[in-house]
Amino acid sequence: MESGTSPRDTLSSLVHGDSYREALPRLTEIFAPELFARPSGLSDQDRHQLTYQRLRHINDQLDTSTPLLTQRGLLFPLLEWVALADPSLFYAFFLHHCTTVGALLEFGAGRDDLDDILARLGSTETVGALLMTELGHGNSNAAVRTEAVYDPDTREFVLTTPGPEAVKYPPSVACPGLDRLGIVTAKLVVGGQDRGLFCFIVPLRDTTGPCPGVVIEPQDSAPILPLDWATVSFHGVRVPYRNWLRDSASIAEDGTFTDTLSTPALRSRQASRLIRYVWEVAAVGLAAVTRASAAIAVRHAHARYTNGTFAGFADPMPVIRYRNQQRTLFGALSAAYVSAMAAKSFTGPEPAGRSAGEIRTLFTLKAGIDRIAERVTADTRAASGVLGFSPANRFLDYQGLAHAFNAAGLSTQVLHLNAAWTMALGFDYEPPADDSAATRDLDLRDPARWRALAGTRERRLHERLVAELGAARAAGLGEFDVWNDRFDLAEQLAEAHALRLLVDLVRTETDALPDAEARRVALDLCSLHLLGEISAHSGWYLAEGLLTAEETAALPGLLDRICADVAPHAPRLADALDVPYDLVGAPIAHPEYASAFTKTAFTASAGAAPDDTTVTESALADPA
């Protein structure tokens, strides 16, 4: 290793950049473990109140006179620790600081008449929420039915929910005793004409209850992500002109409507500009809980001993010695590093403008990270046995967050289909080169071979999709039918594109490591996830002549050999994921996990016979 650089610091540089290191002192001050202990035994209402108390506590420790959304070097580390400490708080935090404040900054840019609202949000005197989706239309923001009708006599908008299908769902605004403000998307009607979809700033409730004309109906709190979910409808709610987030549009005193965007359809698509905040936030939070789940499970597997049937009832051995545990847990560790690199790739300063290709990369990586998070949180829970099912060990909390964000900012499947659509149309996209011939003789442990396999699969799937779409159109099919029978192929293309992006990220990040040994260990680890994805499509690669029959048959054994190479480094790799174990609080992350799990004190007595619950510990270092 380079002088002055520890092995942990070298490996953790794959996970975090300089801004995270700079923010660490603030994070440790804000997130005192006793203030963020996992709540247990609370009623739903008390649990919801605690969420908003914690939101205010965080705000009280920060200077929010400048919106956090513009302090990205602090915001993203904060989001990581919020996700690790309390997934429900993470959801409320991002809705408040990112989507609510983001809407004001995005569509109210250049206006100083919104400063008082921003100040109230900054102090959490008012807590914000985003009300976009509606009961009758699922995740489709294009089908919003809520109306904001302009009244020229008062220069106000009358906000109305025309029917049950237009009820907003699922904003988390049911908790009583709080001042709440919503960013509500509604169809603007001026002079009887639809002018497209806009955002409006709408007070929803004060400390005494819902505001006039606002009906808030509490819904059951989801066990996997406890929040004050509700349905919200509007009945003649009057919204002042200044609360219209009008962007480039305006209405003159005589009622004349003008907008630089020429059609209602173009205007309606602008509301989707907020979605990029969801993609960034989700990626960072999901990568964080993926890291924690993998690290907890790997630590536990070194401390959890067994002397079962397959060990021949010999002396107890740690379960991490079993190859099936290694394939699962080292695979989870690998996926955690890969997702962390992906999330880190867009936590820097926000670009002045993103190209179509950069936007596609952003949401493709979000979709990929979510799938990794869902799989890793589930696999690590299962690999940890009955203790994995204990809420105290956090797998269920983290799995709930991954499930919830699968649908946030468009579902993972829809994002994949959107990516394939833009690639098929050639929007800022060139398929990768087919390097299969030049790399055919490279070992499957060589990153250049991963790149060639992933890139060639992407190219060939793209060629096939474009050809099939063209043939279907030439046959006279309508656009729906053209795509309807090719959604599976389109999703395969998007997944191949995502894998190629991840391979490129891993190669770039590991190449930058200053130490050859660290590079080798990191590449060995990352190969488990990347080769696992290639192995999942080994039949396709074999049929396309990109893998030989011998290579295809040898893949399982190759993954086992890589696991054996990773095994001596696994504790260090888990440690380098930078998980704040005191904050996470999972008892099984500790070597003496049985003692950590119970507050009951046991005293060994001379001659006492051991029972079946005796735990043999390993020498893994105490995470504290």
Side-chain angles (χ1 to χ4, degrees):
M1 298 290 172
E2 281 192 342
S3 177
T5 303
S6 71
R8 170 184 171 143
D9 287 345
T10 300
L11 290 167
S12 66
S13 69
L14 298 172
V15 176
H16 288 127
D18 292 341
S19 62
Y20 181 86
R21 306 288 172 215
E22 292 167 5
L24 265 178
R26 298 302 320 277
L27 298 177
T28 54
E29 289 174 4
I30 294 167
F31 290 90
E34 64 274 12
L35 296 180
F36 287 89
R38 187 184 184 279
S40 178
L42 296 180
S43 67
D44 282 349
Q45 184 164 315
D46 287 344
R47 176 68 179 88
H48 303 155
Q49 292 283 358
L50 177 62
T51 296
Y52 295 108
Q53 288 169 10
R54 287 176 168 178
L55 178 65
R56 179 157 292 183
H57 163 77
I58 293 172
N59 262 55
D60 288 347
Q61 311 305 308
L62 301 170
D63 177 8
T64 55
S65 58
T66 300
L68 279 177
L69 196 58
T70 65
Q71 303 180 56
R72 290 167 68 92
L74 175 60
L75 174 65
F76 289 116
L78 270 172
L79 286 166
E80 289 193 37
W81 278 47
V82 172
L84 295 173
D86 186 344
S88 295
L89 174 61
F90 176 83
Y91 208 90
F93 186 98
F94 112 83
L95 287 173
H96 178 81
H97 282 294
C98 300
T99 58
T100 305
V101 172
L104 271 73
L105 298 179
E106 188 81 18
F107 302 119
R111 293 173 53 183
D112 56 13
D113 60 331
L114 300 175
D115 289 350
D116 60 321
I117 298 175
L118 283 168
R120 280 167 38 217
L121 290 167
S123 67
T124 61
E125 175 187 340
T126 296
V127 178
L130 183 67
L131 287 74
M132 292 186 77
T133 54
E134 298 178 350
L135 273 175
H137 306 285
N139 273 29
S140 175
N141 296 317
V144 166
R145 296 292 187 269
T146 303
E147 289 189 347
V149 179
Y150 178 65
D151 181 348
D153 294 332
T154 62
R155 282 185 68 75
E156 294 176 320
F157 303 91
V158 181
L159 196 62
T160 303
T161 301
E165 77 286 348
V167 169
K168 296 292 185 181
Y169 179 79
S172 51
V173 295
C175 187
L178 295 174
D179 196 85
R180 301 304 302 272
L181 178 148
I183 300 297
V184 179
T185 55
K187 180 172 62 177
L188 174 63
V189 178
V190 181
Q193 294 186 48
D194 176 6
R195 301 297 187 176
L197 195 66
F198 284 88
C199 292
F200 295 83
I201 305 167
V202 183
L204 301 175
R205 66 187 312 149
D206 58 23
T207 55
T208 63
C211 297
V214 180
V215 176
I216 299 174
E217 298 181 72
Q219 302 296 316
D220 286 344
S221 182
I224 64 170
L225 193 68
L227 271 170
D228 52 328
W229 307 110
T231 55
V232 180
S233 57
F234 305 97
H235 304 270
V237 176
R238 293 210 159 247
V239 180
Y241 186 86
R242 80 140 178 169
N243 284 25
W244 174 31
L245 292 176
R246 54 188 180 269
D247 197 24
S248 60
S250 64
I251 303 174
E253 292 286 346
D254 64 2
T256 302
F257 174 85
T258 57
D259 191 357
T260 57
L261 297 176
S262 57
T263 68
L266 286 174
R267 169 50 63 191
S268 294
R269 283 199 281 271
Q270 295 306 301
S272 65
R273 278 153 52 184
L274 293 178
I275 294 177
R276 75 179 189 278
Y277 298 129
V278 182
W279 297 332
E280 291 178 335
V281 167
V284 169
L286 293 174
V289 299
T290 301
R291 289 189 292 106
S293 298
I296 291 167
V298 168
R299 292 180 69 91
H300 180 54
H302 283 80
R304 176 186 169 202
Y305 277 64
T306 180
N307 56 357
T309 303
F310 296 105
F313 295 98
D315 290 338
M317 67 175 65
V319 297
I320 199 64
R321 290 275 304 278
Y322 289 82
R323 194 69 74 203
N324 61 337
Q325 282 273 320
Q326 291 182 358
R327 286 282 290 273
T328 298
L329 294 180
F330 296 165
L333 198 60
S334 174
Y337 269 89
V338 171
S339 66
M341 291 180 218
K344 188 179 76 165
S345 70
F346 44 77
T347 58
E350 185 172 22
R354 285 188 171 98
S355 68
E358 289 169 332
I359 293 170
R360 181 175 53 245
T361 294
L362 180 60
F363 69 67
T364 300
L365 289 178
K366 180 269 181 186
I369 291 170
D370 183 81
R371 286 202 168 176
I372 288 173
E374 289 193 280
R375 184 172 72 247
V376 168
T377 54
D379 288 352
T380 51
R381 173 184 55 77
S384 299
V386 68
L387 291 181
F389 195 68
S390 166
N393 288 317
R394 307 311 298 268
F395 298 115
L396 291 171
D397 290 343
Y398 296 157
Q399 194 173 355
L401 189 67
H403 287 328
F405 269 96
N406 182 294
L410 299 178
S411 71
T412 293
Q413 187 175 54
V414 170
L415 290 175
H416 280 153
L417 295 176
N418 281 345
W421 179 70
T422 63
M423 289 189 288
L425 292 174
F427 288 165
D428 196 15
Y429 175 75
E430 286 289 336
D434 185 339
D435 295 328
S436 55
T439 59
R440 190 181 304 278
D441 295 331
L442 294 179
D443 188 89
L444 280 172
R445 294 181 76 155
D446 191 319
R449 185 77 186 281
W450 312 338
R451 178 56 162 78
L453 289 169
T456 302
R457 175 170 165 81
E458 179 183 342
R459 182 181 186 87
R460 294 187 184 181
L461 290 173
H462 178 263
E463 289 172 347
R464 181 181 162 194
L465 179 61
V466 170
E468 290 194 12
L469 292 172
R473 291 184 181 113
L477 294 179
E479 200 64 13
F480 173 77
D481 292 317
V482 164
W483 279 96
N484 199 34
D485 291 333
R486 291 159 191 85
F487 282 149
D488 184 58
L489 176 58
E491 192 165 8
Q492 290 178 45
L493 168 60
E495 290 170 346
H497 177 61
L499 178 60
R500 195 255 299 174
L501 292 175
L502 292 176
V503 170
D504 287 346
L505 273 170
V506 166
R507 295 181 72 191
T508 299
E509 288 287 330
T510 54
D511 283 351
L513 291 176
D515 181 82
E517 173 66 8
R519 284 196 299 276
R520 185 190 65 78
V521 171
L523 280 172
D524 276 349
L525 180 66
C526 292
S527 71
L528 288 173
H529 177 72
L530 300 175
L531 282 175
E533 292 294 305
I534 290 169
S535 180
H537 300 289
S538 58
W540 184 92
Y541 286 109
L542 178 63
E544 292 285 319
L546 300 172
L547 287 177
T548 66
E550 292 76 15
E551 286 175 321
T552 303
L555 268 169
L558 174 60
L559 292 172
D560 283 344
R561 291 196 300 276
I562 296 172
C563 282
D565 291 341
V566 167
H569 308 283
R572 175 164 56 117
L573 287 162
D575 192 40
L577 283 173
D578 284 341
V579 176
Y581 292 105
D582 286 346
L583 179 66
V584 169
I588 62 170
H590 293 260
E592 297 183 4
Y593 63 88
S595 298
F597 204 80
T598 177
K599 295 182 175 63
T600 307
F602 289 89
T603 303
S605 56
D611 61 27
D612 290 339
T613 62
T614 300
V615 177
T616 308
E617 304 296 351
S618 76
L620 191 65
D622 190 325

